[in-house]
């Protein structure tokens, strides 16, 4: 392979040196403020780098809408170039050491070369994602009218086999989970029978579940609508929960933040799934109207904080079996995807750290004494704390950049890639 430009550690270290003094000043100030609340800043900095979030391979390409896709410069053209980009993100933030692959988009010709590339970058593979929401070249049956819930057994079988193949690839690269999101549903009233479609789904999923290794998890991802606009088979967390229970212990529910109606109380859904032992993990993103796939924390940072408030509460209460998987799932239409993923991973860390700062005794007391003003005030006190210096320090101490975007831009990474990766992609629409 020809030499590829990658950001050297020394470049990060040099940039950090120039920013260190100001960071220390900010930390000093914040440390004194937190001390007043009985919080040790060192302890929080240590915790901050504990939370890891996986990056979706498809997120490093430029996304699009139903109308158009405006290709970016130097986009990755294959899974190896995607890994280069993912590794760049991780080098700068140090909280994204795993990549989630989508098959067949990321299907390698040789599995061993994929493993080697990941090892070279110090990356691991997170959940595998199957794709039965579009047809693949040379595939005998079409998914136009459904895949795992298609009325024709032959179509369902083809979709089941695709999922089994994803598991096989995953086993070979050290993945430990399969995420199944199906676009199956209907566009018109009467087009499908709701009960029958769900029965078919469960029948197909049982076959997939049987192939899921003992130390794996099977994530069921619900989504209210799109591409089916009238009804979707796995439309909400309740349906997802029912199916996960039917399937067994290894089956869990995955919450993609964009897959709910606007204004839905997602933090309460998260709490319910935790309580029922079925919270598998997340696809983080943000949205205004639907599955917008905008950057995490860009529209509703308070909601993201409230979700992490539930997660930290569950962890501190020692809920048995609580170990959700964290992943980003975004589509970057107007930004440099690497920058969006950097910023989003930082927003995830920010929400987590803010949630760590909640005075839980005070909150519990406010709940006992029925005092909503103090209850909300306690959450707000944590939410409005500017923890940027904690996040920067956590990055710097683990080898990342105090200012990742500045280092990334100064490195000229994107221009190097524009030279190295002449575009091979034609005109296309499509969300990813
Ligand atoms: C879906 C869903 C899935 C993702 C695809 C690309 O809306 O979020 O997780 O794999 O998009
Ligand atoms: Mn998703
Ligand atoms: Mn989605």
């Amino acid at each position: 392979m020809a030499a590829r430009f990658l950001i050297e550690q020394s470049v990060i270290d040099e940039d950090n040196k120039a920013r260190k003094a100001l960071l220390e000043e900010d930390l000093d100030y914040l440390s004194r403020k937190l001390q007043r609340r009985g919080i040790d800043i060192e302890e929080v900095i240590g915790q901050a780098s504990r939370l890891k979030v996986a990056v979706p391979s498809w997120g490093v390409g430029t996304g699009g809408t139903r109308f158009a896709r405006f290709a970016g410069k130097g986009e990755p053209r294959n899974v190896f170039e995607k890994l280069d980009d993912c590794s760049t993100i991780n080098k700068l933030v140090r909280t994204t050491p795993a990549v989630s692959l989508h098959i067949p988009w990321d299907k390698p010709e040789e599995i061993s070369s994929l493993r080697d590339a990941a090892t070279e970058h110090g990356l691991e593979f997170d959940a595998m994602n199957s794709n039965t929401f579009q047809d693949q070249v040379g595939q005998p049956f079409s998914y136009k009218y459904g895949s795992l819930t298609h009325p024709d057994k032959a179509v369902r079988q083809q979709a089941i086999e695709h999922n089994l193949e994803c598991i096989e690839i995953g086993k070979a690269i050290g993945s430990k989970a399969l995420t199944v999101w199906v676009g199956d549903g209907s566009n018109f009233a009467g087009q499908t029978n709701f009960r029958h479609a769900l029965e078919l789904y469960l029948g197909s999923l049982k076959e997939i579940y049987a192939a899921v290794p003992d130390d794996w998890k099977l994530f069921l991802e619900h989504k209210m609508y799109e591409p089916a606009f009238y009804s979707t088979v796995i439309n909400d967390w309740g349906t997802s929960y029912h199916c996960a229970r039917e399937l067994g212990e290894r089956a869990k529910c995955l919450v993609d933040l964009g897959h709910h109606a606007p204004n839905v109380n997602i933090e309460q859904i998260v709490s319910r799934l935790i309580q029922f032992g079925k919270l598998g993990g997340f696809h983080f993103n943000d949205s205004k109207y639907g599955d917008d796939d905008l950057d995490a924390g860009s529209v509703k940072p308070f909601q993201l904080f409230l979700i992490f408030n539930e997660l930290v509460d569950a962890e501190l209460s020692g809920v048995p079996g609580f170990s959700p998987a964290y992943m980003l799932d975004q589509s970057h239409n107007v930004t440099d995807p690497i920058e969006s993923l950097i910023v989003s991973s930082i927003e995830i860390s920010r929400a987590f750290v803010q949630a760590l700062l909640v005075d839980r005794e005070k909150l519990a007391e406010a709940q006992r004494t029925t005092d909503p003003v103090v209850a909300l005030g306690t959450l707000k006190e944590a939410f409005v704390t500017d923890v940027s210096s904690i996040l920067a320090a956590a990055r710097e101490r683990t080898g990342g950049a105090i200012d990742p975007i500045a280092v990334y831009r100064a490195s000229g990474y994107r221009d190097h890639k524009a030279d190295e990766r002449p575009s091979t992609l034609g005109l296309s629409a499509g969300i990813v």
Side-chain angles (χ1 to χ4, degrees):
M1 202 187 284
R4 300 109 66 212
F5 175 81
L6 292 170
I7 298 176
E8 298 288 337
Q9 185 62 41
S10 56
V11 172
I12 298 174
D13 296 342
E14 272 306 302
D15 191 87
N16 282 350
K17 256 191 228 154
R19 297 178 196 275
K20 185 94 184 209
L22 282 183
L23 174 61
E24 293 296 340
E25 240 178 66
D26 291 348
L27 281 172
D28 251 26
Y29 172 66
L30 183 58
S31 159
R32 273 182 274 120
K33 276 189 83 168
L34 291 179
Q35 236 163 38
R36 274 185 251 148
R37 279 151 63 182
I39 298 168
D40 173 12
I41 199 166
E42 282 302 318
E43 158 87 23
V44 184
I45 296 172
Q47 296 259 12
S49 39
R50 194 162 59 82
L51 190 95
K52 308 290 186 211
V53 59
V55 166
S57 67
W58 58 101
V60 289
T62 309
T65 66
R66 290 189 293 129
F67 303 98
R69 195 183 83 89
F70 298 96
K73 282 195 299 182
E75 288 189 90
R77 297 161 302 176
N78 55 51
V79 65
F80 299 102
E81 294 181 349
K82 290 180 194 174
L83 288 182
D84 284 349
D85 289 0
C86 293
S87 138
T88 300
I89 297 163
N90 188 44
K91 262 191 207 162
L92 293 166
V93 299
R94 302 285 166 167
T95 53
T96 60
V99 181
S100 191
L101 297 186
H102 224 303
I103 303 299
W105 297 337
D106 298 320
K107 196 170 159 180
E109 273 166 26
E110 264 178 70
I111 302 254
S112 61
S113 48
L114 191 55
R115 253 194 330 234
D116 293 347
T119 312
E120 179 202 327
H121 289 306
L123 293 172
E124 290 180 350
F125 291 104
D126 203 72
M128 302 299 294
N129 297 266
S130 58
N131 177 345
T132 61
F133 48 85
Q134 65 181 168
D135 286 345
Q136 308 306 329
V137 184
Q139 160 187 309
F141 303 103
S142 171
Y143 296 137
K144 182 167 180 175
Y145 295 105
S147 58
L148 292 167
T149 75
H150 195 286
D152 183 345
K153 171 71 189 165
V155 185
R156 296 201 300 281
Q157 193 56 38
Q158 176 181 278
I160 291 166
E161 276 161 23
H162 166 69
N163 277 278
L164 302 186
E165 188 196 359
C166 291
I167 295 174
E168 285 312 309
I169 298 174
K171 280 190 207 165
I173 59 174
S175 169
K176 291 281 177 230
L178 172 71
T179 301
V180 181
W181 170 69
V182 277
D184 291 24
S186 67
N187 277 25
F188 295 94
Q191 184 185 333
T192 62
N193 177 298
F194 297 146
R195 258 189 299 130
H196 191 205
L198 190 58
E199 273 163 22
L200 293 175
Y201 173 85
L202 274 168
S204 296
L205 261 292
K206 277 180 187 157
E207 292 192 39
I208 297 168
Y209 185 80
V212 171
D214 286 346
D215 59 342
W216 275 46
K217 284 179 186 162
L218 174 63
F219 296 139
L220 310 183
E221 182 179 359
H222 61 275
K223 175 163 166 167
M224 183 184 53
Y225 78 103
E226 201 195 18
F229 287 125
Y230 171 68
S231 76
T232 290
V233 180
I234 307 301
N235 59 308
D236 62 11
W237 75 274
T239 308
S240 176
Y241 172 69
H242 169 78
C243 293
R245 271 195 65 161
E246 286 287 303
L247 290 171
E249 186 50 36
R250 277 165 288 153
K252 309 274 179 195
C253 306
L254 184 138
V255 178
D256 182 314
L257 269 53
H259 290 191
H260 306 87
N263 292 332
V264 160
N265 187 337
I266 301 177
E267 56 273 26
Q268 190 176 29
I269 293 175
V270 170
S271 164
R272 291 283 190 266
L273 288 173
I274 291 170
Q275 190 160 9
F276 304 157
K278 281 295 186 191
L279 179 69
F282 291 88
H283 278 180
F284 290 115
N285 51 52
D286 213 337
S287 68
K288 182 82 179 155
Y289 300 105
D291 191 25
D292 307 349
D293 274 326
L294 296 173
D295 295 6
S298 64
V299 183
K300 291 167 291 197
F302 190 50
Q303 180 187 63
L304 191 60
F305 161 79
L306 292 174
I307 290 170
F308 272 95
N309 178 48
E310 294 302 325
L311 297 171
V312 168
D313 178 72
E315 195 175 62
L316 291 174
S317 330
V319 173
F322 174 78
S323 70
Y326 301 112
M327 217 190 91
L328 292 164
D329 181 8
Q330 306 180 161
S331 177
H332 312 108
N333 305 347
V334 297
T335 54
D336 177 331
I338 290 182
E339 294 192 3
S340 270
L341 289 165
I342 287 173
V343 170
S344 302
S345 71
I346 295 172
E347 290 313 297
I348 300 300
S349 300
R350 185 187 307 282
F352 170 58
V353 169
Q354 287 168 332
L356 290 174
L357 301 183
V358 172
D359 185 337
R360 292 193 184 269
E361 270 170 34
K362 194 168 156 197
L363 182 61
E365 179 62 11
Q367 289 167 351
R368 261 193 307 272
T369 55
T370 60
D371 190 339
V373 169
V374 171
L376 174 64
T378 306
L379 291 180
K380 279 286 182 73
E381 181 182 45
F383 175 66
V384 300
T385 308
D386 180 3
V387 298
S388 304
S389 55
I390 292 180
L391 305 178
R395 281 194 299 276
E396 194 245 351
R397 292 180 192 187
T398 49
I402 292 176
D403 190 337
I405 296 289
V407 175
Y408 173 72
R409 290 195 172 186
S411 77
Y413 184 91
R414 189 53 73 189
D415 288 331
H416 285 285
K417 295 301 147 191
D419 292 340
E420 290 172 20
R421 306 169 175 171
S423 172
T424 52
L425 305 166
L427 278 181
S428 68
I431 196 87
V432 286

